[in-house]
Amino acid sequence: MTDHMACRQTQERIAVLLAGAADRRERLEIESHTSACARCATAYRDYIATSVALDRAYAPLRHATVALSPARVRLAMRVPEPVPAPVRFSRVVARVNEFALAAAVTAFAFVGAGSVAPKPAITDEAVPTDVLTPNMHVGTMGDDQSFIRWFRIGRYATPSDLLDPAVSPRSLADETPPATPERAGLLR
Amino acid sequence: MTGRAAKKAAEIDARTDRELVYAAREHDMLAFDALFYRYKDGIFRLGLAITKDPSAAEEIVVDTFARAHRALARLEPEGSLRPWLYRVAVNLSYNRRPRKGLVISTLEDATEEIVQGEERSPSRLAELAELRRVVLAAIDTLGPKHKVVVVLHYLNGLNLAEIAQVVDCPIGTVKSRLHYALRRLRAHLAAHPELGFEPLGASMATPGRIPLTAVERVRGPQE
Ligand SMILES: [Zn+2]
């Protein structure tokens, strides 16, 4: 091996040594060569200085951090965000609540409305039904119907008073003149 | 991050890259997030050192992980996923159109770590900032193949075997590139004796054993 080749090889080994990748044998060879070669001894010192300078130049950058979230990656890829477990649970609870509310509204519509709506007419199998029959009140009214009527005439009246819209409530008959249907609010 | 999410992230963090990749493949988003948090800063620094543009470096982080996500089914990391991620980041960094006139060196940056235990006078800080600017400018004179080796080793702390994986070439080639880079930088920086370069005439006459403490100053104790 010529001197030039030996120097070149030694200087490459020095670079490797400074990178922490030289084994013991390579280290001994470097020491052996540099103890006899002024040029490589200088290179050794200068490579150390270069390495220190590089280390220092990058020192501030070595602590640089970036405030990025993986959401940015998902946004870039149009991947939906994962839902954390507690949020998933609260969504289930919300769904159950929605369902319960919907069920309650439905139940009210079927059951509650039935109690408020006019009771079916007293059935007489012989009487033929026509389209008006369900809206005709033949029997006595329940309290709920009285209550609705009370809303319309402005006072609570007994069912019998309400059977004939033209008749004013009996309790007021002695003191006040008979109410006209217009005043009672039963005619529109 | 909530306490529960932080706890979950900590649990995931203990897993190897390979385990996280396999979990992410099964649509475990938190596993993918753990990989992201593990490597985002290193990729950011790498992108910043090459592009000198913080917003470009951020985009490189996002693009690198977007590619990783798309490649999940194919990824088979033996140990660390870092070489694969860094290779993507290096390619993305060099494929970007460079913006002119960007310099990452600032006086404020230089004050942080460099002067620990040293005099912190304004003139000393200015001197350090100037030296740093000189060194970074010298690094910029290197071609991409050599600069990447320098950045990956001196900034990102990768060893030569890992660098060989990143740049996809034999370790012998990495050694040659590192040596070439040091030789070029030495030539550039020799004009600055304040960086520690001996005057040429003086040192030529003094061959001898280099104290290993000098090496340890750079790389830490060897073996
Ligand atoms: Zn020599």
Side-chain angles (χ1 to χ4, degrees):
Chain A
M1 190 183 287
T2 63
D3 282 356
H4 178 74
M5 277 178 69
C7 288
R8 187 182 168 82
Q9 192 180 57
T10 299
Q11 288 178 21
E12 186 172 312
R13 279 181 179 158
I14 291 169
V16 172
L17 172 67
L18 294 174
D23 58 26
R24 182 173 172 76
R25 184 181 58 82
E26 287 173 316
R27 242 167 60 188
L28 290 173
E29 284 174 2
I30 291 167
E31 284 184 29
S32 162
H33 183 96
T34 52
S35 64
C37 176
R39 191 166 50 181
C40 287
T42 305
Y44 198 164
R45 291 193 181 94
D46 285 357
Y47 283 1
I48 289 171
T50 306
S51 285
V52 171
L54 287 171
D55 232 32
R56 289 187 153 198
Y58 280 134
L61 194 53
R62 212 172 286 130
H63 298 278
T65 56
V66 61
L68 270 180
S69 142
R72 272 280 296 274
V73 179
R74 284 188 272 277
L75 190 68
M77 299 184 60
R78 308 268 191 273
V79 175
E81 277 295 291
V83 181
V87 178
R88 269 205 298 270
F89 177 73
S90 67
R91 281 192 188 172
V92 168
V93 171
R95 270 301 169 92
V96 169
N97 286 344
E98 280 172 22
F99 180 78
L101 184 63
V105 170
T106 310
F108 176 77
F110 281 99
V111 182
S115 67
V116 173
K119 292 278 191 294
I122 292 170
T123 52
D124 182 346
E125 297 300 322
V127 177
T129 55
D130 59 44
V131 290
L132 295 175
T133 310
N135 296 323
M136 294 171 69
H137 300 284
V138 183
T140 56
M141 288 188 290
D143 274 352
D144 43 9
Q145 280 173 293
S146 307
F147 185 71
I148 286 176
R149 284 294 181 93
W150 171 75
F151 256 107
R152 295 182 69 186
I153 65 175
R155 67 192 72 193
Y156 201 86
T158 59
S160 56
D161 292 339
L162 296 168
L163 283 175
D164 182 357
V167 177
S168 63
R170 190 179 299 146
S171 59
L172 296 175
D174 298 336
E175 299 144 34
T176 56
T180 60
E182 288 78 5
R183 277 194 65 201
L186 295 174
L187 298 180
R188 293 175 190 274
Chain B
M1 191 183 276
T2 63
R4 193 178 302 186
K7 194 180 169 195
K8 173 85 174 164
E11 283 168 7
I12 286 173
D13 251 20
R15 293 154 76 182
T16 65
D17 286 3
R18 188 182 175 84
E19 289 170 332
L20 291 172
V21 166
Y22 274 78
R25 199 176 287 173
E26 301 300 318
H27 309 290
D28 181 349
M29 288 282 200
L30 291 178
F32 184 78
D33 292 0
L35 284 169
F36 179 86
Y37 286 115
R38 191 173 285 181
Y39 293 116
K40 71 178 174 70
D41 290 332
I43 293 170
F44 175 73
R45 290 168 202 147
L46 178 59
L48 188 56
I50 295 173
T51 65
K52 287 175 278 173
D53 181 350
S55 60
E58 278 191 20
E59 284 173 27
I60 286 163
V61 175
V62 172
D63 287 355
T64 299
F65 279 96
R67 277 160 200 254
H69 196 276
R70 280 195 287 268
L72 275 176
R74 303 193 308 274
L75 287 177
E76 289 290 344
E78 292 287 326
S80 167
L81 188 61
R82 185 163 71 165
W84 188 92
L85 291 170
Y86 279 26
R87 190 195 308 181
V88 172
V90 166
N91 291 334
L92 289 171
S93 301
Y94 277 111
N95 286 339
R96 295 187 77 85
R97 185 187 296 272
R99 281 172 62 194
K100 299 276 183 191
L102 288 168
V103 181
I104 53 175
S105 171
T106 64
L107 187 63
E108 290 73 34
D109 289 341
T111 62
E112 282 305 314
E113 190 196 325
I114 293 176
V115 290
Q116 277 183 1
E118 293 184 27
E119 185 195 350
R120 285 172 180 258
S121 67
S123 63
R124 176 66 182 145
L125 294 179
E127 186 188 339
L128 286 168
E130 172 61 12
L131 288 178
R132 186 164 174 258
R133 192 195 59 74
V134 166
V135 175
L136 292 175
I139 295 168
D140 275 345
T141 65
L142 298 172
K145 282 192 293 189
H146 300 102
K147 183 176 173 178
V148 162
V149 173
V150 167
V151 171
L152 287 173
H153 180 63
Y154 286 96
L155 172 63
N156 290 100
L158 270 64
N159 62 39
L160 301 189
E162 286 176 306
I163 295 172
Q165 283 183 279
V166 173
V167 299
D168 199 22
C169 69
I171 192 167
T173 308
V174 175
K175 288 177 180 177
S176 296
R177 288 181 186 174
L178 183 64
H179 174 228
Y180 176 88
L182 282 185
R183 203 157 40 116
R184 282 282 306 272
L185 293 172
R186 174 198 182 197
H188 267 90
L189 303 176
H192 297 270
E194 66 272 30
L195 285 170
F197 293 90
E198 291 191 17
L200 217 60
S203 61
M204 286 293 279
T206 56
R209 193 171 183 277
I210 306 292
L212 271 178
T213 49
V215 179
E216 287 165 4
R217 230 177 100 211
V218 184
R219 297 287 89 193
Q222 310 282 304
E223 291 172 68

